[in-house]
Amino acid sequence: AYGHVNLALDIEPKMLEHATGARVAANALFLPLADGIFDLALATNASINYLPESAALAHHFSEIGRVLKQGAIYVFDSCTPGRAETLH
């Protein structure tokens, strides 16, 4: 209704089956997307907890920064290490 285009991205194709609209199978460390194209990125279900190493997490944040427009927003959730272990 507002002219926004949504893109679902997940490494697991079965998760993408639940998404509507445009979908891309990819991981959070190597986004197959152009630079500076999004106004907002959203990571849900504590997905960044699957990047437990600080180097991988830093690389992920660099990739998100690369695909976001200047002044865009990145919203993500996370959980405590104990809860993350339970999720795995």
Side-chain angles (χ1 to χ4, degrees), residues 25-87:
N27 75 42
L29 298 177
F30 303 101
L31 302 174
L33 306 165
D35 296 353
I37 58 172
F38 293 104
D39 297 306
L40 170 72
L42 174 65
T44 60
N45 299 321
S47 57
I48 65 168
N49 281 94
Y50 291 93
L51 303 171
E53 298 171 1
S54 59
L57 193 55
H59 184 79
H60 166 68
F61 285 131
S62 292
E63 275 290 274
I64 290 294
R66 181 184 64 77
V67 301
L68 289 175
K69 294 177 182 176
Q70 183 72 25
I73 298 170
Y74 180 38
V75 178
F76 60 91
D77 62 356
S78 63
C79 57
T80 64
R83 177 70 176 137
E85 189 173 308
T86 302
L87 293 172

